[in-house]
């Protein structure tokens, strides 16, 4: 008897409410939901990431750090020995030093040699290393020239002016030689700026630099 009752309910007609609910579920299951729209700026981000060369930026930062730090370490070790000023003590038309006594031939030569060795060890070659060191010093002297025109004393702090020419000029010089993109250069200048400020303070704490900048 129980079996007969079960069969009766199994073959009983479904209610209209049940049939409507079943149809909605079937339509929902078969519907193809559209994907979320892709932001309009996504292709630009993908293209920018494709132009980013992180390891190359790291290699260039190492060479810039060598070029920037070698004259400081040489001054700490050698003092005034062979510290001949690049400008020869000349004055500009405004009566101020052309560059200042802190820019020496010793520092320039050691920065180029150190960067050339660093370039070999970093895998970029001695030529690229020397070129980065030379132009880093050229950028540093260019910054010193403008600082003297602004009336700032040698080794005085000038945020931005102390970091941008020294990093931007060498990166632009080797851009086509090593395959740097514009984005690589912008990131490199920013990293050097922040890193130079941080490392200078560390070297000052360690009594390697005379000033925390």
């Amino acid at each position: 008897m129980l079996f007969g009752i079960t069969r009766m309910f199994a073959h009983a007609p479904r209610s209209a409410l049940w049939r409507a609910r079943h149809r909605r579920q079937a339509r929902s299951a078969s519907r193809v939901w559209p994907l979320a729209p892709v932001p309009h700026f996504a292709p630009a981000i993908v293209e920018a990431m494709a132009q980013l060369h992180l390891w190359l930026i790291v290699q260039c930062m190492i060479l810039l750090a060598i070029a920037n730090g070698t004259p400081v370490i040489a001054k700490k070790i050698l003092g005034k020995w062979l510290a001949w000023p690049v400008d020869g003590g000349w004055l500009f038309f405004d009566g101020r030093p052309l560059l200042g006594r802190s820019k020496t031939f010793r520092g320039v030569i050691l920065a180029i040699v150190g960067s050339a060795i660093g370039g070999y060890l970093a895998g970029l070659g001695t030529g690229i290393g020397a070129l980065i060191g030379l132009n880093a010093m050229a950028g540093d002297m260019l910054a010193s020239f403008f600082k003297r025109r602004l009336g700032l004393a040698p080794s005085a702090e000038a945020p931005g002016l102390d970091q941008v020419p020294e990093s931007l000029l060498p990166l632009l010089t080797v851009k086509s030689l090593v395959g740097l993109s514009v984005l690589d250069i912008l990131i490199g200048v920013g990293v050097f700026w922040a890193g130079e400020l941080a490392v200078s303070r560390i070297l000052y704490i360690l009594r390697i630099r005379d000033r925390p900048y």
Side-chain angles (χ1 to χ4, degrees):
M1 181 177 179
L2 180 61
F3 179 73
I5 295 173
T6 304
R7 289 187 60 187
M8 180 181 68
F9 279 103
H11 293 283
R14 306 296 185 182
S15 66
L17 180 61
W18 185 91
R19 289 195 299 272
R21 183 186 305 160
H22 182 73
R23 284 196 297 268
R24 286 198 300 268
Q25 291 176 349
R27 285 197 299 267
S28 178
S30 62
R31 183 181 301 174
V32 178
W33 295 94
L35 296 176
V38 178
H40 66 279
F41 52 82
I45 295 177
V46 174
E47 184 179 356
M49 293 303 295
Q51 297 177 2
L52 189 60
H53 308 91
L54 291 178
W55 175 237
L56 189 54
I57 295 174
V58 171
Q59 290 173 301
C60 291
M61 291 302 101
I62 292 173
L63 299 185
L64 287 176
I66 293 174
N68 184 58
T70 301
V72 177
I73 297 174
K75 180 181 178 182
K76 187 65 177 180
I77 297 175
L78 302 176
K80 295 183 178 180
W81 186 64
L82 298 179
W84 301 318
V86 174
D87 64 4
W90 295 345
L91 301 179
F92 199 57
F93 299 115
D94 54 9
R96 299 189 182 102
L98 187 63
L99 298 175
R101 62 182 181 277
S102 62
K103 306 306 170 188
T104 66
F105 283 108
R106 180 188 68 190
V108 172
I109 294 172
L110 290 179
I112 296 173
V113 173
S115 298
I117 297 173
Y120 174 77
L121 296 176
L124 290 179
T126 56
I128 295 296
L131 196 58
I132 288 179
L134 174 63
N135 284 277
M137 291 298 96
D140 186 36
M141 287 187 285
L142 180 63
S144 294
F145 175 81
F146 285 115
K147 287 167 67 175
R148 298 299 85 76
R149 308 291 72 77
L150 294 173
L152 298 174
S155 299
E157 184 177 19
L161 190 55
D162 285 331
Q163 295 85 25
V164 174
E166 189 173 351
S167 56
L168 180 59
L169 184 59
L171 293 180
L172 287 175
T173 303
V174 301
K175 176 179 181 294
S176 59
L177 298 177
V178 300
L180 287 170
S181 66
V182 174
L183 181 61
D184 295 333
I185 293 175
L186 293 176
I187 292 176
V189 172
V191 170
F192 180 81
W193 188 336
E196 197 271 343
L197 292 175
V199 172
S200 293
R201 281 154 178 76
I202 295 174
L203 295 179
Y204 175 73
I205 294 174
L206 297 176
R207 300 184 182 277
I208 297 178
R209 290 195 74 123
D210 298 330
R211 299 173 181 82
Y213 50 81

